[in-house]
């Protein structure tokens, strides 16, 4: 009962923060609203007793990715200037495309069942997770490290460019 | 449908949780306030001065014990200044975001095993999630937003530069911090802090306590260094130096300024508590078990459960205070690093070392199996 209410409340927060993020003109504020949405999602995971997922959501998305966003925005010169509001056509397009996407998304998700809290309380320990990651999912897990290699190479390439300039 | 009996249990659980939060968090905040005094007293001691000793209530000074109260009152009555160009909402939000994650983290720290009260078993930990270490890293990673927003919302170049310095430093050292904890998880096979403390009660060769410092000595050095750096304290206090390099909260005054200072001292206490919990057995006292002392030779001394619980909580408090003292000592002993030195120490030394520690731990665990 309490958990279901928490899930609905957190979902409302996530949805409201995401909407506000889209309509926010200040870049840093908009990033912070996205952070709120990510944290609310982590809260939903916690309420669904998926602790590992919640922790990883906060460490990776709310912690690492968003910190990078916010810092990058702050040092970008564009963040310091207030841009003029968009023209009428741009606004219309800006509303039409998300509306289209939303309809498509709703159509796609209508077939899915509503997720509710499982009656028995279950938690995933680190051992089970490790067994899965290094057992049946080992190949996918190792493949993921390619993403990290790619980003490291990208970072080095960017830094090299700057040094040459 | 809930039965009345269940409701009573739920109410009791809620009341116990509230009492634990009030006691532990209240205690932590009290000690934090006293740490601000200890910082000045230790500096005075090391510089052959007397230190603060004037604040008095009814003529009673108690060697300066009332200074934190006087400081708090002073901060309350100072002008709450805000730059004209500042972002009002974010400017007000930043101190909260700096303080809240630190105070939240105290909930994960076990300050004792359990105590029997009126027939009920009361766990001496506010929250003991099975993935406590991960949640610890997750929540501590959020404190960077308070620091960064303080600089950004002030709309001041000095503050923003300080904030970027601080953010870069905090993000960098948190990577090392996370990696040093991996070794502990491998050795104790759990990510729950209470489980880790319980596992540290085991004995190696029948007489050496299996504390983190014995099984992961290298990780302890890395952890303490990275934690002090992530907290932005000397010798890593490049985020803010009041008179020379300014810092991210230079535009703050009054209680908002106090919130940043308080967050730093609270984090110091947190680091001390974590050092004690993860590497020095937490509430464990060597050879003290649920029923009392049991020495390796076979001698035993039976103790009532509440005495055991009291001794364990006392041991945890003593260990924590020791690491607070160590951090104060470091603060007044070491000079400040340059920023390039700070970054190179993190990425070129501590990070490779922490990865090597994980590999070595893995190899040792395989060899011992």
């Amino acid at each position: 009962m309490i958990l279901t209410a928490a899930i609905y409340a957190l979902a409302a927060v996530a949805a409201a923060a995401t909407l506000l993020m889209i309509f926010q003109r200040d870049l840093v504020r908009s990033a912070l609203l996205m952070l709120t949405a990510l944290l609310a999602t982590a809260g939903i995971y916690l309420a669904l007793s998926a602790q590992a997922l919640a922790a990883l959501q906060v460490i990776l998305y709310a912690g690492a990715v968003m910190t990078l966003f916010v810092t990058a925005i702050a040092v970008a010169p564009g963040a310091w200037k207030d841009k003029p509001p968009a023209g009428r056509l741009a606004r219309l397009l800006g509303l039409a495309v998300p509306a289209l996407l939303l309809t498509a998304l709703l159509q796609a998700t209508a077939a899915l069942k509503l997720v509710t809290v499982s009656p028995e309380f279950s938690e995933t320990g680190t051992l089970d997770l490790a067994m899965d990651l290094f057992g049946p999912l080992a190949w996918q897990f190792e493949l993921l490290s390619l993403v990290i290699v790619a980003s490291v190479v990208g970072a080095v390439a960017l830094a090299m460019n700057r040094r040459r300039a | 449908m809930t039965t009345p009996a269940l409701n009573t249990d739920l109410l009791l659980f809620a009341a116990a949780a509230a009492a634990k939060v009030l006691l532990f968090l209240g205690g932590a905040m009290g000690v934090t306030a006293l740490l601000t005094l200890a910082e000045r007293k230790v500096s005075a001691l090391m510089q052959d001065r007397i230190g603060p000793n004037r604040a008095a209530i009814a003529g009673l000074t108690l060697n300066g014990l009332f200074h934190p109260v006087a400081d708090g009152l002073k901060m309350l009555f100072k002008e709450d200044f805000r730059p004209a160009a500042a972002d009002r909402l974010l400017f007000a939000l930043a101190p909260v975001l700096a303080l809240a994650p630190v105070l939240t983290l105290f909930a994960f720290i076990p300050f004792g095993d359990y105590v029997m009260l009126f027939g009920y078993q009361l766990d001496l930990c506010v929250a003991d999630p099975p993935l406590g270490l991960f949640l610890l890293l997750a929540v501590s990673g959020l404190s960077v937003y308070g620091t960064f927003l303080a600089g950004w919302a002030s709309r001041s170049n000095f503050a923003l530069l300080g904030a970027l310095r601080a953010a870069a430093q905090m993000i960098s050292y948190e990577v090392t911090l996370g990696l040093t904890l991996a070794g502990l998880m491998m050795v104790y096979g759990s990510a729950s802090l209470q489980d880790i403390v319980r596992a540290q009660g085991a004995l190696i060769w029948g007489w050496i306590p299996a504390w983190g410092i014995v099984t992961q000595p290298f990780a302890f050095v890395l952890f303490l260094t990275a934690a002090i750096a992530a907290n932005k304290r000397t010798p890593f206090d490049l985020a803010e130096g009041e008179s020379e390099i300014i810092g991210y909260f230079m535009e703050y005054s009054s209680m908002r300024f106090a919130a940043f200072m308080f967050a730093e001292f609270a984090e110091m206490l947190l680091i001390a508590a974590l050092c004690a919990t993860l590497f020095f057995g937490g509430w464990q006292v060597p050879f003290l078990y649920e029923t009392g002392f049991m020495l390796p030779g076979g001698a035993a001394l039976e103790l009532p459960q509440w005495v055991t619980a009291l001794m364990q909580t006392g041991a945890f408090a003593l260990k924590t205070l020791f690491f607070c003292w160590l951090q104060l000592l470091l603060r007044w002993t070491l000079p400040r690093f340059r920023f390039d030195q700070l970054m190179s120490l993190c990425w070129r030394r501590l990070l490779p070392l922490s990865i090597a520690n994980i590999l070595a731990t893995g190899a040792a665990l395989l060899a011992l199996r």
Side-chain angles (χ1 to χ4, degrees):
Chain A
M1 173 65 195
I2 300 172
L3 279 179
T4 317
I7 290 171
Y8 278 110
L10 285 167
V13 169
T18 313
L19 276 179
L20 283 171
M21 179 198 85
I22 297 170
F23 294 111
Q24 178 62 247
R25 296 244 311 274
D26 185 317
L27 279 175
V28 171
R29 278 191 184 199
S30 142
L32 285 176
L33 283 165
M34 189 168 161
L35 171 74
T36 314
L38 289 172
L39 287 178
T41 319
I44 295 177
Y45 293 152
L46 262 189
L48 289 168
S49 67
Q51 278 196 14
L53 204 57
L56 291 178
Q57 161 91 355
V58 179
I59 293 176
L60 291 179
Y61 289 98
V65 175
M66 281 316 293
T67 316
L68 198 71
F69 270 23
V70 172
T71 323
I73 288 170
V75 290
W80 293 80
K81 296 179 210 124
D82 192 21
K83 288 199 197 85
R88 196 168 285 174
L89 188 71
R91 273 197 218 183
L92 264 178
L93 259 177
L95 280 176
V97 173
L100 210 71
L101 280 174
L102 189 68
T103 341
L105 228 117
L106 281 179
Q107 270 181 346
T109 50
L112 299 177
K113 276 184 195 150
L114 204 70
V115 177
T116 45
V117 190
S118 62
E120 70 253 53
F121 189 70
S122 68
E123 276 162 350
T124 317
T126 36
L127 193 65
D128 304 328
L129 209 67
M131 288 295 198
D132 278 348
L133 276 183
F134 293 102
L137 297 175
W139 168 241
Q140 287 91 329
F141 182 67
E142 291 304 323
L143 211 62
L144 261 183
S145 60
L146 273 183
V147 179
I148 301 171
V149 174
S151 51
V152 169
V153 170
V156 171
L158 279 177
M160 289 297 277
N161 262 343
R162 220 178 57 186
R163 196 171 284 177
R164 259 189 238 124
Chain B
M1 214 28 212
T2 48
T3 57
L6 251 177
N7 266 338
T8 330
D9 272 0
L10 196 68
L11 274 178
L12 267 176
F13 176 77
K20 279 190 283 190
V21 169
L22 277 180
L23 263 177
F24 190 49
L25 203 60
M29 287 176 88
V31 174
T32 305
L34 285 177
L35 273 181
T36 61
L37 173 70
E39 168 111 310
R40 293 155 74 191
K41 277 286 184 192
V42 167
S43 83
L45 208 69
M46 293 184 78
Q47 295 162 355
D48 202 14
R49 295 182 285 116
I50 295 171
N53 66 344
R54 303 290 171 89
I57 293 179
L60 207 66
T61 60
L62 296 181
N63 199 22
L65 201 65
F66 296 125
H67 270 270
V69 182
D71 285 342
L73 283 175
K74 184 183 78 177
M75 289 291 185
L76 266 179
F77 290 109
K78 284 253 182 186
E79 184 196 351
D80 187 14
F81 174 79
R82 188 182 56 227
D87 186 324
R88 295 175 69 130
L89 177 72
L90 298 186
F91 191 80
L93 205 62
V96 182
L97 287 181
L99 193 55
V102 185
L103 294 183
T104 310
L105 287 177
F106 279 105
F108 299 134
I109 294 178
F111 51 95
D113 193 0
Y114 71 94
V115 68
M116 296 303 289
L117 267 187
F118 311 114
Y120 283 92
Q121 180 179 327
L122 188 68
D123 289 324
L124 294 179
C125 180
V126 178
D128 179 31
L131 291 176
L133 270 185
F134 286 99
L135 289 172
L136 197 89
L137 283 173
V139 179
S140 72
L142 294 179
S143 60
V144 69
Y145 289 106
T147 308
F148 176 77
L149 281 184
W152 167 261
S154 302
R155 287 284 187 273
S156 147
N157 288 346
F158 284 116
L160 184 68
L161 282 175
L164 285 177
R165 266 202 315 270
Q169 177 177 345
M170 288 164 86
I171 298 167
S172 306
Y173 277 90
E174 245 149 46
V175 179
T176 309
L177 209 62
L179 288 176
T180 49
L181 298 182
L184 277 177
M185 272 188 273
M186 288 160 78
V187 171
Y188 297 113
S190 171
S192 143
L193 269 79
Q194 189 68 285
D195 280 358
I196 290 180
V197 174
R198 290 211 176 104
Q200 289 181 76
L203 295 174
I204 302 173
W205 298 322
W207 61 280
I208 305 173
W211 286 5
I213 186 74
V214 180
T215 56
Q216 287 279 297
F218 204 52
F220 169 67
V221 179
L222 294 173
F223 176 82
L224 189 64
T225 316
I228 293 176
N231 188 21
K232 313 178 288 296
R233 270 184 72 82
T234 323
F236 310 103
D237 63 337
L238 296 114
E240 55 92 26
E242 288 87 349
S243 54
E244 330 82 284
I245 49 174
I246 333 274
Y248 58 97
F249 58 80
M250 66 170 285
E251 300 291 352
Y252 281 86
S253 63
S254 185
M255 278 315 270
R256 296 185 208 221
F257 169 83
F260 286 110
M261 290 299 279
F262 199 78
E264 184 188 317
F265 280 95
E267 200 170 334
M268 201 170 115
L269 182 66
L270 185 78
I271 292 169
L274 280 177
C275 281
T277 304
L278 298 173
F279 295 98
F280 285 82
W283 43 260
Q284 296 275 7
V285 180
F287 314 120
L288 179 65
Y289 300 95
E290 273 175 302
T291 48
F293 278 104
M294 272 195 277
L295 297 177
L301 172 69
E302 274 196 27
L303 290 170
Q305 204 278 325
W306 65 269
V307 177
T308 313
L310 201 68
M311 283 176 80
Q312 287 172 335
T313 306
F316 171 72
L318 271 182
K319 290 173 193 174
T320 305
L321 285 181
F322 170 79
F323 284 106
C324 285
W325 171 80
L326 187 71
Q327 287 180 77
L328 291 178
L329 219 60
L330 283 176
R331 161 94 156 87
W332 296 103
T333 309
L334 298 173
R336 179 185 293 150
F337 279 93
R338 250 185 5 238
F339 199 71
D340 59 321
Q341 292 172 330
L342 172 98
M343 282 298 167
S344 124
L345 177 75
C346 178
W347 293 107
R348 291 195 184 151
R349 305 255 152 64
L350 294 189
L351 188 69
L353 284 176
S354 58
I355 295 174
N357 183 56
I358 295 178
L359 290 178
T361 308
L365 284 179
L366 269 182
L368 287 173
R369 198 158 63 171

